[in-house]
Amino acid sequence: MASELIYRGPESLPVPDSYTPKPHKPWFTVIRPLRYLLREQRIVFLFAGIAIASLIFAFLPSSRSGGSSYANTGIYDSYLPSESTQSQVAHRIIYQNRVGFGSFNSGGKIPLGLQRKSLRIVVTGGAGFVGSHLVDRLIARGDSVIVVDNFFTGRKENVMHHFGNPRFELIRHDVVEPLLLEVDQIYHLACPASPVHYKHNPVKTIISFLLFITNFHKTNVVGTLNMLGLAKRVGARFLLTSTSEVYGDPLEHPQKETYWGNVNPIGVRSCYDEGKRTAETLTMDYHRGAEVEVRIARIFNTYGPRMCIDDGRVVSNFVAQALRKEPLTVYGDGKQTRSFQFVSDLVEGLMRLMEGEHVGPFNLGNPGEFTMLELAKVVQETIDPNAQIVHKPNTEDDPHKRKPDISKAKELLGWEPKVALRNGLPMMVQDFRQRIFGDQKEDSGKITTA
C-alpha cells in the first residue's frame, strides 16, 4: 500500500490586496469648519462678539477726533481779514480739505482694520516757517511727529499749539551734531533760507556774514550727512528740501529739472547755491551707494503766515514795510521776475513727493510770474494804496528771471498750486499785522505799567 506524504505545515497566508486611499471628498473642507462652529455654541459667541464690537464703534468717539483740537480747527481762521467773499471762505479751510488718505473721514467711525498706519516722522527745522505748516498737516493726518530745531530761525510760537499732544515731540538740537532716533520718514528742512540784511555797521556785517557762511555750510553739508546717516541706520525714507537757487541766474526759462544751472561758485550767494547743490549730491550718493530711499524737492519762492518778518526776502520785506508805513524797497529796476507759491501748496507737494515712488528732483513752485514792481503793486492794493516805492542798487548775482516748469510734478505727483497770489497774500498780511502791532501793544503796555 502506497503511503502519501501529507504536508502539515502552516497554511499559506492570504496575500492582502494593494492599498487604496479613501476617495477624495471635496465638500469635506467646507463641512469641517461648519461642524466646528456648530459645536458648543461657538457661533453664538462669534455673533455676540461682532455685536459688542459694533456697539463700541457706534458709541465711542473715533481715535482721530481726540487730536482734532490740535490741528483740524482751521489754522487759517485768524488770518482772514473778512468773510465777505466765498473765495476767502474756501481758502479758510484749505488744510482741512487736503488732509489726504487716513484722514478723509476724520469725523466718522473708521473700522480698525481700515485705518492708515500711523508713522513716526522727524521734521528738522520743524519750528520754522515751512516746517511748522508741514507739522500741522502730519499731526492732522494722525502721524507722530518729532520736531528737531535749534531755533536759529524757527520760533516756538509756530508749534506751541501742539504742546500737550502725545503725538508731538520737540527737541532743541542742531543737526550738525549726530542724533539717534527711530523713525519711518525724515523731512530735512533745517537750513536758513535767507540771510538778514545788515544795514548799519559794514565791518560787523562782513564778520557776521562770514560766520553765517560757516554755519550755513555746516547745516547744508554736515547736517544733511547726519540725517542721511540716520536714514541709512533705521531704514527711513529721506526727503531733502533743496532750492531753485541751484539754477543760479538761469539761461533757460522756465527752468526744468534737467537744467544744470548757471551758478557763480565764488559769489556772495554761492554759500547758499553751492551748499544746496552739495546736499543734493550727498543725497543721490546715499541713494545709489547705500540704497537709501530718498526724495528731492527744489522749492521756489514761498510765502504765507509765520514767515520771519525781517528775514530779507522780498514778500516779507514788502508786507512789513507797507504795514509800518515805510516805502517799499525795490532793488534794481524792478524788472527781475519771481514766482510765488502759498505755503499750503508747498506742503501738499512735499507730502505727495514723500508718499510717492519717484526720487526726483521735482520743482515745487507756482508758475505764475511777477516782476518785483508788479509784486509791489499787489502789496499796495492789499495793504496801502498810498505806499511809496523806492529803488536801490541791485544786489550782487541777483537772478534776472525765475519761473518753474512743473510739468514733471503734474504728471508724476498729480500736484499743482491752487492758491493765487492775490488770494494768499491777505492771509499773510493778517498774520504779520497781528505780530507787528500785537508786539508793539505788548511793549507799550509794559512801559505804561512801569
Side-chain angles (χ1 to χ4, degrees):
M1 181 175 175
S3 61
E4 293 184 5
L5 293 176
I6 299 174
Y7 176 72
R8 298 186 180 276
E11 296 181 358
S12 59
L13 297 175
V15 179
D17 296 335
S18 59
Y19 172 76
T20 56
K22 293 182 179 180
H24 179 64
K25 302 176 181 178
W27 44 266
F28 187 72
T29 56
V30 178
I31 297 298
R32 188 173 182 180
L34 292 177
R35 288 179 178 175
Y36 178 80
L37 288 175
L38 294 174
R39 290 174 186 169
E40 301 179 7
Q41 297 183 340
R42 290 188 178 98
I43 194 169
V44 176
F45 289 104
L46 175 63
F47 283 113
I50 294 175
I52 293 172
S54 301
L55 290 174
I56 292 174
F57 278 112
F59 293 104
L60 289 183
S62 65
S63 59
R64 295 191 186 278
S65 62
S68 62
S69 60
Y70 297 103
N72 285 337
T73 54
I75 63 172
Y76 286 147
D77 281 357
S78 60
Y79 300 143
L80 289 172
S82 66
E83 298 181 6
S84 58
T85 62
Q86 293 183 353
S87 63
Q88 289 175 333
V89 174
H91 295 303
R92 184 179 195 175
I93 57 173
I94 190 168
Y95 273 1
Q96 293 176 330
N97 291 338
R98 290 187 179 180
V99 176
F101 179 73
S103 300
F104 64 94
N105 191 23
S106 59
K109 310 300 183 296
I110 304 175
L112 190 61
L114 297 180
Q115 285 186 349
R116 174 187 171 277
K117 177 187 175 184
S118 176
L119 299 176
R120 187 169 171 84
I121 301 173
V122 63
V123 181
T124 67
F129 161 47
V130 175
S132 62
H133 289 287
L134 175 61
V135 170
D136 290 344
R137 285 290 306 276
L138 296 175
I139 290 288
R141 193 175 68 175
D143 295 317
S144 298
V145 179
I146 304 171
V147 169
V148 178
D149 206 302
N150 65 351
F151 298 107
F152 180 65
T153 58
R155 301 165 62 244
K156 283 185 181 178
E157 291 79 4
N158 291 342
V159 292
M160 281 184 63
H161 53 288
H162 295 300
F163 289 4
N165 189 335
R167 291 187 285 107
F168 175 81
E169 298 178 50
L170 176 62
I171 302 175
R172 183 165 191 158
H173 181 84
D174 197 322
V175 293
V176 301
E177 303 295 335
L179 184 65
L180 299 178
L181 295 169
E182 293 291 333
V183 294
D184 302 302
Q185 294 178 350
I186 300 172
Y187 286 87
H188 184 42
L189 282 72
C191 179
S194 176
V196 176
H197 290 175
Y198 297 97
K199 299 178 181 178
H200 302 292
N201 190 331
V203 175
K204 185 176 181 181
T205 298
I206 295 173
I207 295 174
S208 299
F209 189 64
L210 289 172
L211 290 174
F212 176 75
I213 290 174
T214 302
N215 290 331
F216 181 84
H217 275 299
K218 282 185 177 180
T219 303
N220 251 349
V221 179
V222 180
T224 302
L225 199 60
N226 285 336
M227 291 299 104
L228 284 167
L230 174 63
K232 178 184 176 183
R233 285 194 300 271
V234 302
R237 181 175 290 182
F238 175 87
L239 186 147
L240 172 70
T241 53
S242 186
T243 173
S244 60
E245 294 293 333
V246 299
Y247 300 125
D249 190 5
L251 304 178
E252 174 181 293
H253 191 78
Q255 296 81 53
K256 296 182 179 180
E257 292 86 350
T258 54
Y259 179 55
W260 289 357
N262 178 38
V263 178
N264 178 5
I266 59 173
V268 294
R269 302 171 66 98
S270 62
C271 64
Y272 188 78
D273 303 354
E274 300 293 359
K276 285 294 188 181
R277 288 161 73 99
T278 304
E280 287 193 18
T281 301
L282 287 171
T283 301
M284 290 306 300
D285 285 341
Y286 264 77
H287 175 61
R288 288 186 290 257
E291 298 183 352
V292 175
E293 275 195 277
V294 301
R295 305 288 185 266
I296 299 176
R298 290 176 179 167
I299 300 174
F300 284 68
N301 292 62
T302 306
Y303 70 97
R306 302 178 191 167
M307 284 188 77
C308 293
I309 293 176
D310 296 307
D311 67 351
R313 284 182 277 195
V314 62
V315 182
S316 54
N317 270 1
F318 283 173
V319 171
Q321 289 171 341
L323 289 173
R324 292 167 175 161
K325 303 299 181 181
E326 300 172 355
L328 307 185
T329 304
V330 174
Y331 293 91
D333 58 9
K335 294 181 180 179
Q336 60 269 42
T337 66
R338 297 291 185 273
S339 301
F340 304 100
Q341 68 176 332
F342 194 65
V343 63
S344 64
D345 287 330
L346 172 59
V347 169
E348 177 73 16
L350 292 175
M351 294 178 65
R352 289 190 181 219
L353 175 57
M354 176 65 90
E355 300 300 328
E357 300 300 325
H358 303 281
V359 172
F362 284 91
N363 289 337
L364 296 182
N366 193 322
E369 191 175 12
F370 292 83
T371 66
M372 296 302 96
L373 287 175
E374 289 173 342
L375 174 64
K377 293 185 182 301
V378 173
V379 173
Q380 283 179 322
E381 295 170 3
T382 306
I383 302 176
D384 183 7
N386 299 320
Q388 297 181 352
I389 298 176
V390 297
H391 290 262
K392 289 188 177 181
N394 201 0
T395 57
E396 186 178 347
D397 292 334
D398 187 41
H400 292 85
K401 291 186 177 182
R402 187 65 59 75
K403 177 183 177 180
D405 184 318
I406 61 170
S407 55
K408 183 178 178 181
K410 281 184 178 180
E411 179 184 355
L412 299 180
L413 303 180
W415 174 88
E416 62 180 323
K418 303 294 184 184
V419 183
L421 178 63
R422 284 179 170 81
N423 293 328
L425 194 61
M427 300 187 232
M428 176 181 173
V429 170
Q430 183 66 19
D431 171 62
F432 269 44
R433 181 177 282 113
Q434 290 175 354
R435 285 197 279 154
I436 291 175
F437 299 113
D439 293 344
Q440 290 181 0
K441 290 178 182 178
E442 291 178 3
D443 293 340
S444 63
K446 292 178 182 177
I447 294 173
T448 305
T449 305

